[in-house]
Amino acid sequence: MERLPRLKTSDHYPFLLLHVGTNDTAKNDFEQITADYVALGRRIKEFEAQVVFSSILPVEGKGLGRDRPIVEVNVEVNIEGEMTYSEREPDENQTISEVFILVGFSYLTRLQILLFLVFLVIYLVTLVGNLLTILLIKLNPSLHTPMYFFLLNLSFLEICYTSSVVPQLLAHLLVEQKTLSIAGCAAQMYIFTIMGLTECCLLAAMAYDRYIAICNPLHYRTIMSGQVCAQLVGASWTIGILVEVAQTTWIFSLPFCGSNRIHHFFCDIPPVIKRACTDTSKNQIVVLALSVLFIMSPFLLIILSYICIISTILKLPSVEGRRKAFSTCSSHLMVVTLFYGTALFTYLRPKSISTPEGDQLISLMYTVVTPVLNPIIYTLRNKEVKGAFRKTIGKSISSHNQRN
């Protein structure tokens, strides 16, 4: 602002061109740059001028480290090439009433098609892998046990979880206008958060199942009856639905204003709350409290279960017995590590180390990568599932030969 020419109220400036320099984009935080230039536009609105921002375009060969902040400033500041400030009070903002624009991976302009193909292949593998897991468990009586009942529900959750995000991501990679209605954004957040919290609770139920199987094997069938398993799954769904419906409804009751651009590839909680007009510090505290209570509580139950499991395994006299006992829970432990590792880092890390690009990469881990790895982990490391798969294929071939 200090470098602006001294404007006099008696002068008339119908048009002002403000340039975003490379020093700004190189030294300052992206969101701080945006806030500074928006504030600058409001500061000079008293002269009834139309304010247009320009910035230097990315230079080929300079690398994403230089290009990304420049592209993001362009995307945020140059809304259809201009920002016009009308006669209104300085503390008022334009309300967002129709759509959000999901910026996502817009800065990777030359990689849109490649990203589309990679995510499409991963999504199809995720669907096929989890559907095969569900079919194998349904078709093979040998897999009608509590552990595989939970795995069936986990596979269904993973299909819903990734399908709430990836199809919309794929569509946006093929179009320039990456818009999503506020209602669509809310629907996506409802599904995504419900599935995510339900999975947290379900993983805790699966850990309890492994605890009973290893620490109290003689009473396993009595304790883990069909009714108990159904109650654990039902409780997981009930907690997920009640908590996340309340939280998401509360988030979308907030007024949204200012820029309608969300620097993410889907409607996750932190970037959406940033678009709220009101002071969201209390909202963020509540979101953090809910995350700690309903994400950390199942996680602590899982840790306690595995402390007991490992303690019991180490007391077994034979090496072979310890190996077999550990193999029954190793797949679940790997899935828990993948899911909770990324989720905890996303929602409980300090805001000071958060960047839009980093947030998106971490989100890819739990929305795209983890769902495709789960069926692979449970099938490649599980002799029962591989045996059931061979048996099902053998029956299918035999049935086909008899018909011919």
Side-chain angles (χ1 to χ4, degrees):
M1 287 189 189
E2 292 76 8
R3 288 178 291 178
L4 279 176
R6 293 187 176 276
L7 304 178
K8 299 178 182 178
T9 54
S10 58
D11 297 330
H12 179 60
Y13 298 90
F15 185 87
L16 287 174
L17 178 65
L18 301 177
H19 182 68
V20 183
T22 52
N23 287 336
D24 290 325
T25 56
K27 294 179 181 178
N28 298 320
D29 177 74
F30 150 66
E31 297 218 351
Q32 184 59 50
I33 298 168
T34 302
D36 288 346
Y37 277 86
V38 169
L40 183 59
R42 290 183 185 146
R43 171 71 179 82
I44 59 178
K45 80 178 183 67
E46 60 195 73
F47 302 101
E48 300 182 3
Q50 183 182 35
V51 184
V52 175
F53 294 91
S54 73
S55 62
I56 296 175
L57 293 174
V59 178
E60 186 175 0
K62 294 295 184 181
L64 289 178
R66 178 191 183 282
D67 289 353
R68 185 180 65 80
I70 298 175
V71 174
E72 288 184 334
V73 170
N74 273 320
V75 169
E76 181 69 26
V77 176
N78 295 301
I79 301 175
E80 296 180 1
E82 63 182 29
M83 297 180 76
T84 303
Y85 292 86
S86 60
E87 290 289 330
R88 61 174 185 258
E89 293 301 318
D91 60 344
E92 290 182 351
N93 291 314
Q94 184 176 356
T95 302
I96 302 170
S97 58
E98 295 180 359
V99 297
F100 286 123
I101 298 175
L102 300 177
V103 176
F105 301 102
S106 298
Y107 62 94
L108 300 173
T109 52
R110 297 188 177 184
L111 299 178
Q112 300 291 292
I113 299 300
L114 178 61
L115 289 173
F116 172 82
L117 294 174
V118 170
F119 293 146
L120 177 62
V121 170
I122 294 175
Y123 179 59
L124 292 176
V125 173
T126 301
L127 293 181
V128 171
N130 284 288
L131 284 172
L132 277 177
T133 302
I134 292 172
L135 286 174
L136 282 175
I137 295 172
K138 282 288 188 181
L139 296 175
N140 288 273
S142 62
L143 300 181
H144 292 176
T145 63
M147 184 177 78
Y148 293 108
F149 173 72
F150 290 127
L151 179 57
L152 183 149
N153 282 274
L154 179 65
S155 295
F156 175 74
L157 272 174
E158 293 287 22
I159 291 172
C160 298
Y161 185 71
T162 193
S163 295
S164 67
V165 174
V166 178
Q168 169 252 307
L169 169 61
L170 293 173
H172 281 182
L173 287 170
L174 296 179
V175 297
E176 290 188 12
Q177 293 295 324
K178 306 178 191 301
T179 58
L180 185 65
S181 67
I182 291 182
C185 185
Q188 184 180 63
M189 188 181 290
Y190 275 119
I191 298 171
F192 172 78
T193 55
I194 287 171
M195 297 303 158
L197 182 54
T198 302
E199 184 165 340
C200 289
C201 298
L202 186 63
L203 289 172
M206 295 174 77
Y208 176 71
D209 171 70
R210 292 299 84 206
Y211 162 74
I212 298 297
I214 293 172
C215 299
N216 201 354
L218 297 178
H219 298 92
Y220 177 69
R221 292 188 178 277
T222 304
I223 297 173
M224 298 304 295
S225 63
Q227 183 180 0
V228 170
C229 292
Q231 288 173 347
L232 288 172
V233 171
S236 299
W237 278 99
T238 301
I239 293 172
I241 292 171
L242 291 179
V243 172
E244 294 305 339
V245 165
Q247 179 176 248
T248 304
T249 302
W250 172 52
I251 289 172
F252 280 88
S253 68
L254 298 171
F256 298 110
C257 58
S259 172
N260 64 343
R261 295 175 184 268
I262 294 177
H263 291 272
H264 216 302
F265 60 87
F266 74 102
C267 289
D268 201 2
I269 293 173
V272 171
I273 286 183
K274 286 182 180 180
R275 299 275 74 89
C277 300
T278 57
D279 178 17
T280 60
S281 56
K282 293 181 180 179
N283 303 69
Q284 291 175 1
I285 291 172
V286 172
V287 170
L288 180 62
L290 288 173
S291 299
V292 170
L293 179 61
F294 291 103
I295 295 178
M296 288 301 294
S297 295
F299 185 58
L300 291 175
L301 290 175
I302 292 170
I303 291 176
L304 288 174
S305 297
Y306 273 102
I307 289 173
C308 296
I309 288 169
I310 292 171
S311 176
T312 302
I313 290 175
L314 292 176
K315 292 177 183 177
L316 295 175
S318 67
V319 175
E320 183 64 19
R322 290 197 292 269
R323 187 191 65 79
K324 286 183 177 179
F326 185 74
S327 66
T328 62
C329 57
S330 59
S331 297
H332 176 257
L333 190 57
M334 290 175 67
V335 170
V336 167
T337 303
L338 278 171
F339 182 81
Y340 268 99
T342 53
L344 291 176
F345 189 74
T346 299
Y347 294 105
L348 300 181
R349 63 179 169 154
K351 187 179 178 181
S352 58
I353 64 172
S354 174
T355 63
E357 189 177 46
D359 291 345
Q360 291 188 96
L361 290 176
I362 295 167
S363 297
L364 281 177
M365 283 298 297
Y366 61 81
T367 57
V368 179
V369 178
T370 301
V372 76
L373 290 179
N374 286 354
I376 296 173
I377 291 170
Y378 272 104
T379 54
L380 293 182
R381 296 182 58 85
N382 194 306
K383 291 182 180 179
E384 290 180 321
V385 174
K386 288 190 286 187
F389 179 74
R390 286 193 292 267
K391 190 181 295 184
T392 302
I393 295 297
K395 286 182 179 179
S396 299
I397 294 173
S398 175
S399 175
H400 179 72
N401 291 336
Q402 288 177 0
R403 289 178 183 175
N404 292 335

